[in-house]
């Protein structure tokens, strides 16, 4: 039986996807970073001032915008892996999942935080097992609990290989940062594509 997580295969598929939509995926990321940074700076009170109602509102908007971008960008990456051109309409499509995503993210954070409090290793294990709840929400339209259960199900027996993938992605991010930091705008979409490829491999029935 073919191993679902083959490192060179995963990297190759993600790299192919990045090359096919490089300017669009990096452009979306750069554009979002600029807009988000400007909003965040606008929300910061001047020195000596306290946070006002308007500042809090902008912070909340920034949080929701970040969550929406995460969902939409992952959807764009799945479209890329399917050989399609990423669509801006994806952000509207995933907006209905926003509250569920925030709730599932909160549960994920609580569960993994408890794990990290128990001498770190349980936290890493739980993170590896539950990390695909976002992908399941976007690609399979699962709910809050369903997405976490789905991630737990598909990662059974794959923890060590997923840990190696996590290390590879960390190295890619590090390489992007040392490349005058500009490289991070290529490293991030490559990592998201790898995340999508791994999810697709794990959810494909064994041959």
């Amino acid at each position: 039986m073919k191993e679902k997580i083959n490192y060179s295969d995963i990297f190759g598929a993600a790299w192919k996807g990045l090359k096919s939509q490089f300017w669009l995926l990096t452009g979306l990321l750069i554009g979002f970073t600029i807009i988000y940074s400007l909003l965040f700076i606008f929300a910061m009170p001047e020195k000596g001032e306290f946070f006002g109602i308007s500042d809090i509102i902008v912070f909340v908007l920034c949080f929701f915008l970040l969550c929406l971008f995460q969902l939409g960008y992952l959807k764009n990456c799945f479209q890329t892996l399917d050989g399609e051109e990423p669509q801006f309409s994806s952000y509207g499509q995933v907006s209905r999942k926003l509250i569920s995503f925030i709730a599932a993210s909160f549960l994920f954070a609580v569960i993994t935080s408890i794990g990290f409090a128990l001498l770190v290793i349980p936290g890493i294990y739980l993170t590896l097992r539950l990390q695909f709840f976002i992908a399941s929400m976007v690609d399979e339209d699962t709910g809050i609990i369903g997405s976490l259960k789905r991630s737990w199900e598909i990662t059974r027996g794959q923890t060590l290989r997923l840990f190696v993938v996590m290390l590879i992605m960390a190295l890619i991010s590090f390489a992007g940062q040392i490349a005058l930091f500009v490289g991070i705008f290529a490293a991030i979409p490559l990592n998201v594509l790898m995340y999508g490829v791994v999810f697709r491999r794990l959810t494909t029935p064994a041959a």
Side-chain angles (χ1 to χ4, degrees):
M1 184 177 68
K2 183 179 179 181
E3 178 58 57
K4 289 187 174 184
I5 299 181
N6 180 288
Y7 309 122
S8 60
D9 175 57
I10 289 168
F11 181 83
W15 181 253
K16 180 181 178 182
L18 180 62
K19 289 193 297 182
S20 69
Q21 298 293 341
F22 178 79
W23 294 112
L24 185 52
L25 291 176
T26 55
L28 284 169
L29 187 60
I30 293 171
F32 170 78
T33 301
I34 293 172
I35 294 172
Y36 185 81
S37 298
L38 290 174
L39 283 173
F40 193 81
I41 292 171
F42 176 76
M44 291 296 292
E46 295 184 10
K47 187 175 181 180
E49 293 185 356
F50 294 100
F51 282 97
I53 296 298
S54 60
D55 299 319
I56 295 173
I57 291 174
V58 175
F59 267 112
V60 172
L61 287 176
C62 285
F63 173 72
F64 278 97
L65 181 62
L66 177 61
C67 293
L68 180 61
F69 182 77
Q70 286 181 281
L71 291 171
Y73 196 73
L74 181 56
K75 178 74 171 179
N76 286 159
C77 286
F78 276 127
Q79 291 170 334
T80 298
L81 293 174
D82 290 333
E84 304 171 2
E85 183 172 328
Q87 301 294 318
F88 291 108
S89 59
S90 299
Y91 296 87
Q93 294 170 10
V94 299
S95 61
R96 61 186 179 83
K97 306 174 188 286
L98 197 55
I99 301 302
S100 295
F101 169 64
I102 292 172
S105 296
F106 176 75
L107 286 176
F108 173 80
V110 170
I111 294 170
T112 54
S113 294
I114 293 173
F116 279 110
L118 300 174
L119 302 178
V120 180
I121 292 178
I124 296 175
Y125 176 78
L126 290 170
T127 298
L128 293 171
R129 292 296 305 275
L130 297 173
Q131 63 176 309
F132 294 105
F133 78 94
I134 309 174
S136 181
M137 273 191 167
V138 172
D139 205 41
E140 299 179 325
D141 201 27
T142 51
I144 300 170
I145 303 300
S147 62
L148 291 164
K149 285 184 176 180
R150 177 62 166 159
S151 183
W152 188 264
E153 171 193 332
I154 63 176
T155 56
R156 185 174 292 111
Q158 301 291 339
T159 310
L160 182 57
R161 288 183 172 272
L162 289 172
F163 180 70
V164 175
V165 172
M166 182 181 72
L167 292 179
I168 294 172
M169 293 171 69
L171 287 173
I172 291 172
S173 295
F174 178 72
Q177 291 178 35
I178 64 176
L180 301 179
F181 197 75
V182 178
I184 198 69
F185 290 108
I188 290 176
L190 179 59
N191 277 345
V192 177
L193 287 165
M194 285 183 64
Y195 172 83
V197 172
V198 173
F199 175 76
R200 288 283 180 81
R201 296 292 188 273
L202 292 174
T203 53
T204 299

